[in-house]
Amino acid sequence: MVEKADAAPEKNGIVSKILNVLSAILGPAIPLIMCSGLISALLIILTKCGLSTEGTTYTIISMVGNAALYFLPVLLAYTSAKKFGCDIMTSVFLGAIMISPTLIGLTEQGSFVSLFGLPVKTVNYSSTVIPIILTIWIFSYVEKLVVKIVPAAVKFVFKPLLSVIIMIPVMLCITGPIGSYCGDLLCKALTAINNVAPWSSVLIVGCLAPLLVLTGMHLALIPLVMSMFATAGYDNMLFVAFIGMNFSQFGVALACMLKTKNKNLRTLASSCAITAFLAGVTEPTLYGICVRMKKPLIATWIACIVNAIFCAIFSVRVYSFGAPSFFTMPIFLNPDGTMSNFYFAIAAAAITIVVSFVSTWVLGFDDSIYGEEAA
């Protein structure tokens, strides 16, 4: 079974190789992401039942619900180190530095700060994926070089020391900002497009939605969305496109749950369906199902494109900040009291679920990778 899995990337090419690496790195973190998603869904239910958003109970539960995604660079540092075969503790240390409150606090001092004269782009790396994976990948090569340089008698202390000294500027000046620069370019491009042809921006974001979430680049669009809420009073781009992303993961997970005979996949898919539908948390389905089995990722893309086209035609808008889910559908209610936008949003969600479900069912999937014979 292992030899088959290793041989498949060679046959399917570079895209499959990348997806397999992402699957191996992100897979172990899925249960914790799912746990956080379920807690976030529970918090929404408790809020609807009367729990005050001002109390410490809400604050603590919210903290736990956001923890897995906030500390994602630390979790992925561990799994990346195992995948790339480098020192785990040093890798986790680098991941922790990326989400240090001090480093995040530097964003208040401008876009760049200095490290011995080197430009360090100030970025909040919490919840990001690509920066830490790139960092640990480079570290796996740096560590091999350090092992050759440091004498065996002092390597216990000086190997991690020299590794960190080399990796800090590499991480903060090169590998870390790469994802941020991609996000900045995307943000500028979408701003220009949205100013000229607002209907086309949701098409672009909708078609790119799975890729944006896979790379964590969707977070770079949050400041743009906040600016749109402040100026126009609505978002016609990111959260609208994510009707397709969020509800497609429910449709995919539901199709997998009903079609598979593999108990492991059925259990995973049922939990994924709940987190996607109730809380709009897509990572468990995307990383745990779509990336691992490939064809459900195609189904996701199809559903996202269909949703983007529908929302562009009917000019669907989001009037309150929030990720689309069953409990957050009121974000589509127009403050002027009209209901047409809300109805179009519900229709978009329903169409997305149907398209993703049918696409997943028709395309099929290989559930043997979940390590259990069909029941």
Side-chain angles (χ1 to χ4, degrees):
M1 180 68 71
V2 174
E3 291 179 358
K4 252 186 199 180
D6 290 340
E10 294 296 329
K11 180 180 178 181
N12 296 330
I14 187 65
V15 173
S16 185
K17 288 181 181 180
I18 293 173
L19 289 177
N20 275 284
V21 169
L22 285 174
S23 177
I25 292 173
L26 292 161
I30 294 302
L32 287 176
I33 297 174
M34 191 181 303
C35 174
S36 288
L38 289 170
I39 291 172
S40 295
L42 175 62
L43 183 61
I44 293 173
I45 295 173
L46 291 174
T47 303
K48 297 296 181 182
C49 292
L51 178 67
S52 173
T53 58
E54 304 297 326
T56 56
T57 299
Y58 178 90
T59 301
I60 293 173
I61 296 176
S62 177
M63 174 194 68
V64 177
N66 294 323
L69 289 177
Y70 179 86
F71 290 103
L72 195 58
V74 177
L75 301 178
L76 298 187
Y78 175 84
T79 56
S80 296
K82 295 189 70 174
K83 176 64 180 177
F84 299 131
C86 50
D87 185 73
I88 292 176
M89 294 309 296
T90 304
S91 299
V92 170
F93 180 69
L94 293 173
I97 290 174
M98 293 193 83
I99 59 169
S100 165
T102 301
L103 183 62
I104 295 174
L106 291 177
T107 57
E108 299 176 0
Q109 299 188 23
S111 300
F112 288 91
V113 294
S114 175
L115 175 65
F116 291 113
L118 297 173
V120 174
K121 185 171 174 59
T122 55
V123 180
N124 183 347
Y125 290 111
S126 62
S127 304
T128 58
V129 174
I130 299 301
I132 189 61
I133 293 178
L134 282 177
T135 297
I136 304 306
W137 178 57
I138 295 296
F139 170 57
S140 67
Y141 291 97
V142 169
E143 185 181 42
K144 293 174 183 176
L145 176 64
V146 170
V147 168
K148 294 180 180 179
I149 297 174
V150 176
V154 293
K155 70 177 183 179
F156 182 76
V157 173
F158 286 95
K159 189 185 83 165
L161 176 62
L162 184 57
S163 296
V164 170
I165 289 175
I166 294 173
M167 284 306 303
I168 291 300
V170 171
M171 178 175 71
L172 298 181
C173 302
I174 302 174
T175 58
I178 284 178
S180 176
Y181 279 122
C182 292
D184 289 346
L185 289 174
L186 179 64
C187 191
K188 290 178 181 178
L190 287 173
T191 300
I193 293 170
N194 201 48
N195 290 336
V196 176
W199 58 268
S200 63
S201 57
V202 68
L203 283 174
I204 295 172
V205 177
C207 294
L208 294 177
L211 178 63
L212 295 177
V213 177
L214 277 171
T215 58
M217 284 174 58
H218 62 295
L219 298 172
L221 297 178
I222 296 298
L224 174 59
V225 172
M226 296 301 293
S227 175
M228 292 176 65
F229 277 123
T231 55
Y234 59 82
D235 163 41
N236 65 339
M237 183 176 59
L238 181 63
F239 291 132
V240 173
F242 271 58
I243 296 174
M245 187 66 228
N246 293 4
F247 285 103
S248 70
Q249 298 308 273
F250 170 68
V252 166
L254 186 64
C256 290
M257 181 183 70
L258 295 178
K259 187 172 185 178
T260 188
K261 294 182 180 180
N262 185 297
K263 290 182 180 179
N264 290 337
L265 176 56
R266 187 181 296 120
T267 301
L268 172 65
S270 60
S271 298
C272 288
I274 293 172
T275 57
F277 186 70
L278 296 183
V281 177
T282 61
E283 285 81 3
T285 311
L286 186 63
Y287 298 137
I289 294 177
C290 296
V291 170
R292 293 191 70 183
M293 294 195 294
K294 312 297 190 301
K295 287 185 179 179
L297 182 59
I298 299 174
T300 296
W301 238 297
I302 294 172
C304 285
I305 292 172
V306 170
N307 169 74
I309 294 172
F310 180 90
C311 290
I313 293 174
F314 293 99
S315 301
V316 180
R317 297 173 176 178
V318 171
Y319 291 96
S320 300
F321 191 93
S325 68
F326 175 77
F327 283 114
T328 58
M329 289 306 288
I331 64 177
F332 295 97
L333 288 171
N334 195 322
D336 66 9
T338 58
M339 296 297 292
S340 58
N341 187 76
F342 181 70
Y343 295 145
F344 283 136
I346 292 177
I351 291 170
T352 296
I353 292 170
V354 172
V355 171
S356 58
F357 182 95
V358 173
S359 299
T360 303
W361 197 282
V362 172
L363 291 172
F365 46 81
D366 177 14
D367 55 12
S368 63
I369 62 173
Y370 292 93
E372 182 185 341
E373 295 297 327

